[in-house]
Each structure stands twice: as structure tokens, then as C-alpha cells.
Amino acid sequence: MRQIRMPMNLYRTPLSPAYWREANLAMGCLKLLIFAALMVAVTRALSLIPGIPIWHTKLTWGFLARSVCAMVCGPVLGLAFGFVEDILGFLLQPTGDFFPGYTLSTMAGVLVYALFFFRRRITVLDLVLANLVVNVGVNALMGSVWSTMVRGGAYWGWFVPSLAKNLITILPKAAVLYILFQALVPILQRMDLIPAQVEGRIRLI
């Protein structure tokens, strides 16, 4: 495969056509494809670490590798990563019958993280909002649809408890991501994997 040197531009929003051209280039960049494959392996390894109990739910660790891959690889390659990571996870650690809706949720979660983190100047507000959208929009709203289709019952009977559990983990996930990004972003910048998205401490807004 021909090596492609990725541009290192920053964008205010993902609505720019140049943003999506850059995101599409990631699919042909050997360095980013290797990084995405590495993050698939990291996600599988993190799934073996017990989660932290928080009220009636647990904070599991897969979102860390997914968010880092989303930040480096972008929304297009991130969707492919989410698909591969979910299918491989089911094959290696099957939990019940396979249902494609959960694969779509994994892909959607990576997409949300990419829209907030890829080629964007990351702030604490971004970390909170990204996890808010993932927890409420993907985990609670979409996840309750899949639970209704697979297990039956009323949608609201699945959504209300799921929403309560997911709201609780938004700030802890944002705090863990803050610590991880604060340590990892300078390294990724020096490796020429991401542009200078953070200067010193991650700002509030």
C-alpha cells in the first residue's frame, strides 16, 4: 500500500468539506490502519479488566481505546474500526446470541467520539459532551431499541433504567478521558499522528 502523509489541520466543526476529505484519507494511510488494528487489540485487552462498580452499573474500559482511535483515525476509519472491534469481540468473548444492532451501537459510539476529537481542539467541555451523547444517544436510546427487539417488553421499561445508569457514568468517563488525553496527546503529537490539539493543560472550553 502506498504510504499517505496525512494533513494535520484543525477544524472548528466537522461540517467542513475539508474535514471529511481528511477523514477519508485515513482509510488509505498505512500508519493509521496499523494504529486502528492496535486499538482493536487494546480494546480486547481492556475488556478483560474488571469494571469499577458505580451504583447499579459498572465503568468498563473499552471506551478508552475507542476514543483514542476515534481521535487519531477519524470518523470514516473509526466506523470500520468499530465494526471489526465489535465482531471480533463477539467471536472471542461471546455473550449470548449475536445481534447486529449492538455492532451499530459500537460504530455509532466511535463516530461520536471522532466528531468531537478528530482534528478538533479538545476541551473539557468536549469530553463531557461526547460522553453525554454516547451515553444518552447511543447507549440508552439506541441500546433500548435493541433490547426491546431482542428481549421484548416495552421500550420505556428498558430506556428509563438504562438512562439512569448511563447518566451516572458521564462525568467519571470524562474525568478518566481527561487524565488519559492529558498524558497521551503530547505523545501522539510527537509521533505525528495528530495535530497540536492541546497546548499544555486541556482547557475548560
Side-chain angles (χ1 to χ4, degrees):
M1 178 180 289
R2 182 171 62 89
Q3 181 62 276
I4 296 175
R5 181 171 176 81
M6 288 289 295
M8 290 291 167
N9 301 310
L10 288 175
Y11 300 90
R12 289 185 178 274
T13 74
L15 300 178
S16 166
Y19 174 95
W20 289 100
R21 284 195 295 270
E22 196 162 331
N24 285 329
L25 278 177
M27 288 296 292
C29 180
L30 180 59
K31 181 164 64 171
L32 294 188
L33 289 171
I34 294 172
F35 186 87
L38 175 63
M39 287 299 103
V40 170
V42 172
T43 307
R44 292 298 91 221
L46 289 173
S47 69
L48 302 176
I49 302 175
I52 298 177
I54 301 177
W55 196 46
H56 296 299
T57 187
K58 283 186 177 181
L59 179 64
T60 54
W61 306 109
F63 77 98
L64 296 174
R66 294 182 186 121
S67 61
V68 171
C69 185
M71 175 177 58
V72 173
C73 299
V76 179
L77 181 53
L79 286 173
F81 157 83
F83 176 82
V84 172
E85 186 264 309
D86 186 83
I87 298 297
L88 185 61
F90 177 79
L91 294 175
L92 294 177
Q93 298 169 296
T95 53
D97 296 330
F98 173 76
F99 182 70
Y102 297 122
T103 303
L104 291 176
S105 288
T106 300
M107 296 169 67
V110 178
L111 175 63
V112 170
Y113 282 132
L115 294 177
F116 276 94
F117 303 149
F118 179 70
R119 301 302 190 257
R120 304 282 305 280
R121 196 172 296 282
I122 299 170
T123 66
V124 173
L125 181 61
D126 291 325
L127 299 176
V128 174
L129 290 178
N131 283 293
L132 173 65
V133 175
V134 169
N135 281 27
V136 175
V138 177
N139 296 346
L141 284 171
M142 289 180 64
S144 298
V145 173
W146 313 141
S147 296
T148 302
M149 295 173 66
V150 172
R151 303 173 187 174
Y155 174 81
W156 295 106
W158 291 106
F159 174 71
V160 173
S162 178
L163 178 64
K165 291 179 180 179
N166 277 283
L167 287 175
I168 289 170
T169 59
I170 290 172
L171 291 181
K173 286 172 68 176
V176 173
L177 276 184
Y178 175 87
I179 296 169
L180 176 67
F181 280 14
Q182 194 67 69
L184 201 56
V185 164
I187 299 172
L188 296 174
Q189 290 174 175
R190 289 195 295 270
M191 294 174 66
D192 203 28
L193 287 170
I194 61 173
Q197 293 174 241
V198 174
E199 298 176 1
R201 291 287 177 185
I202 296 177
R203 295 181 180 180
L204 181 61
I205 56 175

